Amino acid sequence: MRYSAFSLFRETLNKHRGWKPTWRDATPKSTYDVIIIGGGGHGLATAYYLAKEHGLTNIAVLEKGWLGSGNIGRNTTIIRSNYLLPGNQAFYELSMKLWEGLEQELNYNAMVSQRGVLNLFHSDGQRDTYARRANSMRLHGVHSALLDADEVRRMVPILGFEEARFPIKGGLWQARGGTARHDAVAWGYAHAADMRGVDIVQNCQVTGFLREGGRVVGVETSRGKIRARKVGMSVAGSSSRVAAMADLRLPIESQVLQAFVSEGIKPKIPCVVTYGAGHFYISQSDKGGLVFGGDLDGYNSYAQRGNLPTVEHVLEAGMSMMPSIGRVRMLRSWGGIMDMTMDGSPIIDRTPVEGLYLNGGWCYGGFKATPAAGWCFAHLIARNEPHPSAAAMRLDRFATGHILNENGRGAQPNLH
Ligand SMILES: Cc1cc2nc3c(=O)[nH]c(=O)nc-3n(C[C@H](O)[C@H](O)[C@H](O)COP(=O)(O)OP(=O)(O)OC[C@H]3O[C@@H](n4cnc5c(N)ncnc54)[C@H](O)[C@@H]3O)c2cc1C
């Protein structure tokens, strides 16, 4: 059903008895044109754009748990396109443009809030690095601004300016960045994909691949065998495990990233703020909670929970950026499993196995990428060729040397 002011009015008169489920709970058919493994944001977006942009409707999204149980419902909700490298910039800007029209497109309130993203800098060297990034953004037609310390203070006075260990010298500002309600993004894509006939199958774990002459022709699942002409993997932190079922070894490790939320306080942080002297990022939810995170836990794991030393490490960075955060009580923390590639950038590519496609390696940045990842992965699956905006996100770049190292750090997943 479509949501509108009229449907709200009608259901109010009807005592809200006529609302239909947001998507059908589909029973899997025996054959599909395309199967997408993974009902996170990326898998659902891919199915939606396959149906909408490429006219395919015989599609299933297979999810081992419930929609939103993965990283789409666990992240800190930050969206932005303040990237440096050409191979990334066009892709994340495509995503930002899709975010800007997403709610009308999906007929769903995903609470996209362009409240701005502010990256603090604390030294002359760091300012130069951000000036370079700001110039690169502008060269790609993306607005950016360098703010001085007074402008930052006027914007977010609660930050630690007086006697700070690392005094704030200014910030890189992207006004179009911000946040979106993470699980509503999954629900919105599920709603819109379902309206176009996509089967969304929950509690359906893929346990193996059906192969004929080396080609993938379907999947084995906890609900039986399902055949398909093409199969796309969009399983976030489980990419290596699922790819291994097709005898593929990926240049990926899986590590836990934690997120935290505090009790609700008065509005104090009007935008997303990231710390330059440590890894810490924070925003304030509409309910008033401070939502923040920092570094990975730093070792390989498939546990969806984190360790205490990392909690201490993240809060230390928070205290150093904004000492008053020490007076706020923390409500919850949780963890999600993330694919970490060797250069910190994702992979959207065909695999060496015919009929099998990969969207993975999303590291810290996969939520902001959700619309563009779906758009470009759908293009790849439908046309068998990469979308121009994702052409650098190749699987073979670690062999050919064309790496996409946005942060310029070394070839280890925990460095990105
Ligand atoms: C704590 C945390 C904070 C983050 N913060 C941000 C942020 O602020 N901004 C940002 O851009 N990114 C952020 N990220 C990263 C972002 O959340 C992920 O990169 C992105 O959500 C991954 O794509 P997805 O939504 O499709 O993943 P998921 O929601 O994890 O979807 C993958 C799905 O595949 C399913 N699956 C796995 N194996 C199988 C199988 N065998 N069969 C069937 N289904 C299977 C899983 O159950 C899961 O639902 C954060 C991540 C975490 C963990």
Side-chain angles (χ1 to χ4, degrees), residues 1 3 18-25 191 194:
M1 77 188 288
Y3 302 121
W19 294 114
K20 302 264 185 325
T22 305
W23 63 87
R24 287 168 300 125
D25 198 9
H191 168 67
D194 178 78

Side-chain angles (χ1 to χ4, degrees), residues 134-201:
N135 288 337
S136 169
M137 289 165 67
R138 285 175 174 232
L139 283 172
H140 287 96
V142 180
H143 177 262
S144 64
L146 271 193
L147 308 183
D148 63 24
D150 287 339
E151 287 170 307
V152 172
R153 190 193 289 265
R154 277 198 293 280
M155 199 177 267
V156 201
I158 199 173
L159 298 176
F161 289 92
E162 311 306 335
E163 296 171 19
R165 187 168 167 207
F166 299 102
I168 295 167
K169 296 211 162 187
L172 170 66
W173 173 242
Q174 187 186 17
R176 285 166 60 235
T179 60
R181 167 74 199 249
H182 49 11
D183 36 19
V185 174
W187 302 332
Y189 272 116
H191 168 67
D194 178 78
M195 298 249 294
R196 288 183 177 270
V198 172
D199 278 359
I200 297 167
V201 188

Side-chain angles (χ1 to χ4, degrees), residues 36-45 61-80 83 92 99 178-179 182 185-186 201 203-208 220-222 233-239 241-242 245 255-260 272 281 291-294 296 304 334-339 359 361-370 373:
I36 304 293
I37 312 173
H42 289 214
L44 293 163
V61 177
L62 308 181
E63 166 54 46
K64 74 173 174 188
W66 68 93
L67 290 199
S69 56
N71 289 349
I72 188 69
R74 292 167 184 267
N75 61 67
T76 40
T77 76
I78 300 167
I79 60 175
R80 59 184 173 86
Y83 278 74
Y92 288 99
W99 281 116
T179 60
H182 49 11
V185 174
V201 188
N203 299 312
C204 183
Q205 178 166 4
V206 171
T207 53
E220 292 179 39
T221 78
S222 52
M233 294 182 280
S234 211
V235 291
S238 301
S239 295
R241 282 199 291 197
V242 174
M245 297 176 201
Q255 302 201 1
V256 176
L257 178 66
Q258 301 192 53
F260 309 83
V272 176
Y281 34 92
V291 181
F292 54 92
L296 292 165
Q304 285 183 313
W334 61 90
I337 314 161
M338 296 207 309
D339 274 3
N359 166 47
W362 281 100
C363 307
Y364 288 92
F367 178 64
K368 68 182 75 62
T370 304

